[in-house]
Amino acid sequence: MTADSALTSLGLEIDPTVDASVSATLAVVEDALRDNVASADPLVAEAARHLMDAGGKRFRPLIVALGAQFGDPARPEIVPAALVVELTHLATLYHDDVMDEAAVRRGAPSANARWGNSVAILVGDYLFARAADIAATLGPEAVRLQAQTFSRLVHGQIAETAGPRGSDAISHYLHVIAEKTASLIATSARFGGLFSGATPEHVEALAGYGETIGIAFQLSDDLLDIASESVQSGKTPGTDLREGVPTLPVLYALAGDDTDASAVRLRELLASGPLVDDALHAEALGLLRESRAMKRARETVRTYAEDARARLAPLPDGSPRRAMESLCDFIADRTS
């Protein structure tokens, strides 16, 4: 899902007027991103453009543009609102790669691998500052909402770093996703409604939709890392498994009590930590793809997607609402 792709290119049945409006907004956002990561310092400018030039889904600006359909999507505040959330997202990626000691991001060397941790951290800080600067042009409410979202992002990263600390691993994992991913997508939907002039009731409904579709979106990305035979997820299939990252299917498998040979063998492999051995990695990936844990994880994604659909109930029936419902279907079905 790139910035210049229409929603219909995803196979969604979208009203052409809504599709054209969203696509036009995303095209302007893409151009504006380049202007807003510029810096007088050539190193900062190059490093800040690095991840943006590598592409990405632009899912958060998409949600802003969809949310704006419930007001006036042509309002001049919509593009700056989309820039705030996407720059905030990009900033978190620089910091995440340092935390994870990642070597690759979006198929290219990560910023920390290319310029070192200090530069990557500071470029992330620079992008946060750019997002805050744009938020200030939208008024105090935008600044407050961005600050609250940033607080949730930080809490989510701390929770992920600290680990479950005695709490249920699955509940902890879902909490981390809500804080680290869904919080910013909820703000994206809220910004779309708020700055298009939607009613307060509709803005709250959009925020609730964004929170739940955000969880479904991240979970589906995690499942694609296992289910996809290609780089559909934006990384080599099985990367999380190779690095020992415990995503939802892995956690379900580890918590399972199935006694059949494949489930027992899968638990043995997953409990051993990062699967760097190619043969063991391939064995675990094959078993996980066919496991009850994977089926349960898909059902969890669908549950969140259906919850997101239910959050749209207060919104008027029409093409914009149907577009957001179609996105629920897309996210629920993309890992099948």
Side-chain angles (χ1 to χ4, degrees):
M1 190 184 305
T2 56
D4 59 353
S5 68
L7 286 164
T8 50
S9 71
L10 300 175
L12 277 61
E13 295 183 5
I14 302 297
D15 179 87
T17 302
V18 173
D19 190 38
S21 173
V22 170
S23 297
T25 298
L26 293 180
V28 175
V29 168
E30 194 67 22
D31 290 339
L33 277 171
R34 300 185 181 280
D35 294 335
N36 280 280
V37 299
S39 168
D41 186 302
L43 173 60
V44 174
E46 182 184 8
R49 284 198 313 270
H50 182 64
L51 285 186
M52 191 195 70
D53 289 345
K57 302 179 183 71
R58 305 293 188 251
F59 187 72
R60 291 147 193 85
L62 171 72
I63 294 296
V64 174
L66 279 173
Q69 301 301 309
F70 295 91
D72 178 3
R75 279 195 174 186
E77 298 91 345
I78 300 303
V79 168
L83 289 172
V84 169
V85 295
E86 186 64 11
L87 288 170
T88 300
H89 172 59
L90 287 170
T92 66
L93 298 184
Y94 282 84
H95 287 180
D96 280 353
D97 284 348
V98 172
M99 297 283 295
D100 298 339
E101 300 179 349
V104 176
R105 167 72 71 173
R106 294 177 176 171
S110 62
N112 49 297
R114 184 168 177 181
W115 290 286
N117 285 345
S118 295
V119 169
I121 291 169
L122 291 169
V123 169
D125 292 345
Y126 170 70
L127 293 175
F128 276 126
R130 292 296 304 126
D133 191 24
I134 298 169
T137 69
L138 294 170
E141 181 68 358
V143 174
R144 184 182 67 84
L145 288 170
Q146 193 216 11
Q148 289 179 344
T149 305
F150 189 24
S151 175
R152 288 189 67 188
L153 292 170
V154 172
H155 276 86
Q157 184 61 67
I158 291 171
E160 182 177 58
T161 302
R165 293 187 295 174
S167 64
D168 175 69
I170 294 169
S171 297
H172 174 264
Y173 176 72
L174 293 171
H175 169 71
V176 167
I177 285 180
E179 296 294 281
K180 278 192 65 176
T181 300
S183 63
L184 188 55
I185 295 173
T187 297
S188 301
R190 183 183 293 277
F191 271 11
L194 182 66
F195 293 110
S196 67
T199 68
E201 180 188 16
H202 292 168
V203 171
E204 290 305 314
L206 287 167
Y209 170 86
E211 180 87 15
T212 46
I213 203 69
I215 296 173
F217 173 74
Q218 183 60 58
L219 290 176
S220 68
D221 257 13
D222 291 346
L223 266 62
L224 279 178
D225 181 63
I226 297 166
S228 176
E229 297 286 353
S230 67
V231 292
Q232 183 183 0
S233 64
K235 55 189 176 183
T236 304
T239 296
D240 291 334
L241 201 59
R242 188 176 295 277
E243 295 176 353
V245 177
T247 55
L248 190 63
V250 170
L251 292 173
Y252 278 158
L254 287 170
D257 57 4
D258 296 0
T259 57
D260 61 281
S262 60
V264 172
R265 176 57 177 162
L266 179 57
R267 285 199 296 272
E268 289 175 354
L269 290 167
L270 296 177
S272 66
L275 291 165
V276 295
D277 179 86
D278 288 343
L280 294 177
H281 176 268
E283 182 185 2
L285 190 58
L287 288 171
L288 193 55
R289 283 172 174 168
E290 300 301 321
S291 67
R292 288 181 61 185
M294 189 67 176
K295 180 181 179 181
R296 184 181 174 192
R298 285 193 173 105
E299 291 170 350
T300 301
V301 172
R302 187 165 297 279
T303 296
Y304 278 105
E306 290 304 315
D307 185 14
R309 186 196 307 275
R311 301 297 183 106
L312 296 171
L315 297 168
D317 190 20
S319 298
R321 177 170 156 181
R322 286 193 289 274
M324 300 188 96
E325 290 172 340
S326 294
L327 190 58
C328 295
D329 294 331
F330 171 75
I331 288 173
D333 294 340
R334 68 199 285 242
T335 62
S336 299

